Amino acid sequence: MTKLDAIVVGAGFAGLYMLHRLRQRGLSVQVLEQGGDVGGTWYWNRYPGARCDNESLGYSVSFLPELDQEWSWPERYSEQPVILRYINRIADELDLRRDIRFNTRVESARFDGSENLWQVDTDNGERLQARFVIMATGCLSVPNWPDIKGREDFAGDTLHTALWPHEGYDFTGKKVAVIGTGSTAIQSIPHIAGQAGKLTVFQRTANHCVPAQNGPLDPVVERERKAHYPEMRERARYTRSGDVVPQGEITIMDLDDEALEVVLQDCWDQGGFYTQYPFADQMTDPQANARVTAFSHQHIRSRVKDPATAELLCARDHPFGTKRLCADTGYFETYNLDHVHLVDLNTTPIEAVEARGIRTSDAMFDVDVIIYATGFDAMTGALTRIEITGRDGLVLRDKWDHGTRSLLGVSVAGFPNLFTVTGPGSPSVMINVVAAIEQHVEWIDACIGWLGEQGAASIEASPDAENAWVEHVNATADATLFPKANSWYMGANIPGKARVFMPYVGGLGPYRHHCDKVAADGYPGFVVTGKQGGPA
Ligand code: NAP
């Protein structure tokens, strides 16, 4: 049996950086990755139009300064193949592949307290042992297949955006159905419409959108960033969003309608998540939020010719930004095309998928291909699908049955020496996720180093500190409008999943300060046990 210092699960941004850090520390590390190559999210999500809604200059790693200078991002927001190339470059640059086993899914991880070791079993029938297990499994890595009657009966092609065929898919002349209108659908629908003979979009809930305003990266902006990359990266580490953008400087309710219109138009012109950060009250004051919503609805009405379709595309059931904002490029205009139709599932729900297509309560839609753009079992799915057994037979899935519990989103009481990168209770998906990943990886690496210096055997969250952190995460979310949406942040997209607001909305900077203080103070709130090599 292979015995290691650490096993890292996942070879996306998080797993690669974790491997690099622990190797630098001199540890023996094995990364296990279910995909055929590196990339994580960017390996799987190859649907047409897939690109990152975070700007490329920020959505990139800070630990390869030479690469920062050499690499040229062609567009403001990079498309999936470019990001995947970039991740491959990181793997090559640091010679990471030799410690990664691809096409290997972790089925279970069990803590053995007598030896203070984790036993990890893979779907290849192999068992590995390690002192530390680091779950770098991503927040959006388990596709959600909706439980629609007859789904298996469809005679045409079935696709899920998160499991897109590597060879692509030719929609030319085909009758296509897309189920879902989240970020993924909003990115892919204009591209699919460009090929399809007929496209029908099945919408249950409209989502709030901002224009991406993508385009070739401005060479002046690129030059400027390259001249100041280290300072910008350092600043980004302490902002709330993990990006260098305006943060909370404008109070919407201080502005009259005319002034607000000017500010919001500027946001819409800047595009992307620019809209999310300059305001102090957008995410806390329902009235302020409603004014942004009204502005965004005006925009939709100005872009969609059919008034009834425009109204259906206006999100009304949740405050602006309380579900992950979508960034659109030509999404709304797509509904002006004669061969594109929107079906409102609120008035005419899907009753079944049949061999020839989708039957709603009032019509049958014959299609050649159904695309499920139905999202993910987010934040917990990849962790709860693995049988993770900690102390005294405690299974993580059971522990989280009534809601996620974790200290800092990085350590769970009852699971010694198990770390979760961007786990529930950390900023993760609320911010630039690469920045979130780097903060976690560096903290975990330092923690492992500290344990070595202490000669300690194990570390895990104490139940009291875990409870206190969960309360803080909830209180922070409850001070905002976020819990008002039935979002995947709340687990609301998965039937039967506990409804708790999972990410931490306190912002990266404050969170980093807190985590750094915990480390500097000798990890209060954590139980540190035993001597290395002995029982925990
Ligand atoms: P999503 O936001 O969860 O959207 C899923 C869509 O499927 C929703 O419209 C949902 O409707 C619909 N749906 C689910 N089950 C359904 C059912 N049974 N019947 C009808 N409709 C159903 O998933 P996503 O679009 O894949 O995006 C997930 C996240 O991935 C994003 O929020 C974002 O964080 C990330 N993402 C990031 C980028 C990027 O730029 N980096 C790009 C794409 C995605 P309801 O809303 O009614 O549930």
Side-chain angles (χ1 to χ4, degrees):
M1 184 169 10
T2 314
K3 201 164 167 178
L4 300 142
D5 292 320
I7 291 170
V8 176
V9 187
F13 274 116
L16 296 182
Y17 189 33
M18 197 74 247
L19 168 61
H20 174 54
R21 292 293 289 224
L22 294 180
R23 247 177 24 183
Q24 279 188 319
R25 195 168 278 292
L27 268 55
S28 58
V29 189
Q30 178 71 63
V31 178
L32 303 172
E33 164 59 54
Q34 68 172 337
D37 206 339
V38 297
T41 287
W42 300 105
Y43 172 84
W44 295 103
N45 286 269
R46 296 165 186 251
Y47 57 84
R51 70 173 67 242
C52 185
D53 293 339
N54 277 87
E55 296 192 39
S56 313
L57 288 171
Y59 192 87
S60 45
V61 303
S62 70
F63 51 87
L64 291 172
E66 292 91 24
L67 189 58
D68 271 350
Q69 295 304 320
E70 184 206 316
W71 190 268
S72 257
W73 296 102
E75 292 175 283
R76 182 177 174 197
Y77 302 96
S78 293
E79 53 180 2
Q80 175 269 339
V82 175
I83 302 174
L84 191 58
R85 258 202 313 280
Y86 176 76
I87 297 174
N88 272 276
R89 177 66 193 274
I90 296 170
D92 293 342
E93 197 79 23
L94 300 170
D95 186 22
L96 296 176
R97 281 194 180 76
R98 66 184 157 88
D99 287 324
I100 306 173
R101 206 162 301 162
F102 295 108
N103 302 307
T104 303
R105 194 161 43 79
V106 171
E107 293 197 322
S108 67
R110 172 175 284 273
F111 182 70
D112 174 355
S114 66
E115 288 199 75
N116 196 33
L117 286 173
W118 282 91
Q119 284 190 353
V120 172
D121 288 316
T122 74
D123 61 345
N124 299 334
E126 194 185 2
R127 174 165 290 179
L128 299 91
Q129 277 192 331
R131 268 189 77 203
F132 299 103
V133 171
I134 297 110
M135 303 301 294
T137 39
C139 293
L140 296 160
S141 39
V142 174
N144 170 40
W145 289 99
D147 188 15
I148 296 176
K149 195 171 129 206
R151 187 162 56 77
E152 308 292 333
D153 299 339
F154 183 54
D157 290 335
T158 295
L159 300 172
H160 194 296
T161 46
L163 297 168
W164 204 258
H166 285 205
E167 64 281 10
Y169 190 93
D170 184 6
F171 292 102
T172 308
K174 292 202 160 132
K175 294 193 291 276
V176 183
V178 173
I179 300 178
T181 49
S183 296
T184 298
I186 283 169
Q187 284 187 336
S188 58
I189 281 168
H191 293 262
I192 295 164
Q195 276 195 344
K198 185 173 180 195
L199 171 62
T200 311
V201 178
F202 295 83
Q203 171 181 276
R204 192 164 63 180
T205 314
N207 261 294
H208 290 290
C209 258
V210 285
Q213 308 290 19
N214 188 29
L217 187 60
D218 180 342
V220 178
V221 171
E222 185 181 12
R223 259 201 312 279
E224 170 69 12
R225 177 59 67 100
K226 285 189 172 178
H228 299 285
Y229 238 136
E231 303 99 274
M232 301 294 266
R233 295 255 189 231
E234 191 53 26
R235 269 177 60 201
R237 286 160 73 82
Y238 292 93
T239 62
R240 293 181 74 79
S241 64
D243 268 320
V244 183
V245 290
Q247 317 259 327
E249 286 141 18
I250 303 168
T251 302
I252 291 171
M253 295 311 285
D254 287 349
L255 303 177
D256 63 23
D257 287 348
E258 214 175 305
L260 181 61
E261 174 103 10
V262 171
V263 171
L264 286 174
Q265 187 58 52
D266 182 47
C267 285
W268 255 245
D269 292 344
Q270 304 260 11
F273 293 158
Y274 221 81
T275 326
Q276 221 169 6
Y277 301 114
F279 303 112
D281 51 351
Q282 177 179 270
M283 299 312 295
T284 51
D285 179 341
Q287 265 184 293
N289 191 287
R291 294 176 77 192
V292 180
T293 300
F295 180 87
S296 85
H297 287 179
Q298 274 175 38
H299 255 259
I300 295 169
R301 291 182 190 116
S302 72
R303 291 169 64 187
V304 179
K305 286 187 191 143
D306 174 44
T309 304
E311 290 314 307
L312 286 178
L313 290 167
C314 290
R316 291 192 177 80
D317 79 314
H318 61 282
F320 186 88
T322 52
K323 284 185 175 182
R324 159 61 153 75
L325 267 186
C326 304
D328 99 278
T329 300
Y331 173 66
F332 292 106
E333 288 78 2
T334 303
Y335 292 97
N336 297 333
L337 302 171
D338 289 340
H339 68 295
V340 179
H341 301 280
L342 184 67
V343 173
D344 173 22
L345 296 182
N346 283 310
T347 49
T348 57
I350 295 178
E351 292 193 335
V353 170
E354 298 181 358
R356 60 196 177 95
I358 296 175
R359 182 161 51 77
T360 65
S361 59
D362 80 337
M364 179 69 210
F365 296 85
D366 287 4
V367 291
D368 302 311
V369 50
I370 300 177
I371 301 169
Y372 291 87
T374 44
F376 302 87
D377 182 355
M379 307 208 62
T380 57
L383 296 166
T384 55
R385 262 164 190 72
I386 298 173
E387 190 78 8
I388 302 177
T389 310
R391 260 183 222 291
D392 307 321
L394 179 63
V395 175
L396 187 65
R397 183 174 43 245
D398 298 339
K399 169 160 177 157
W400 284 357
D401 199 29
H402 299 291
T404 50
R405 308 195 71 71
S406 163
L407 178 54
L408 302 177
V410 78
S411 170
V412 183
F415 296 83
N417 291 351
L418 179 93
F419 297 99
T420 51
V421 182
T422 61
S426 74
S428 64
V429 292
M430 303 310 295
I431 63 165
N432 173 355
V433 83
V434 179
I437 284 169
E438 289 194 0
Q439 185 271 338
H440 257 195
V441 166
E442 287 160 16
W443 192 91
I444 293 166
D445 171 48
C447 177
I448 288 175
W450 179 83
L451 288 171
E453 287 161 20
Q454 306 298 310
S458 76
I459 189 165
E460 72 190 273
S462 81
D464 286 350
E466 183 178 84
N467 288 340
W469 182 252
V470 171
E471 270 175 38
H472 174 63
V473 170
N474 290 339
T476 311
D478 288 344
T480 72
L481 301 173
F482 280 107
K484 299 214 177 300
N486 288 324
S487 62
W488 57 256
Y489 299 143
M490 293 285 289
N493 65 328
I494 302 295
K497 191 164 171 174
R499 298 278 178 108
V500 284
F501 192 84
M502 292 181 281
Y504 178 55
V505 293
L508 179 65
Y511 174 80
R512 181 190 297 279
H513 281 301
H514 179 72
C515 291
D516 288 351
K517 182 161 170 22
V518 168
D521 291 350
Y523 300 89
F526 287 83
V527 181
V528 179
T529 58
K531 278 268 166 232
Q532 266 177 41

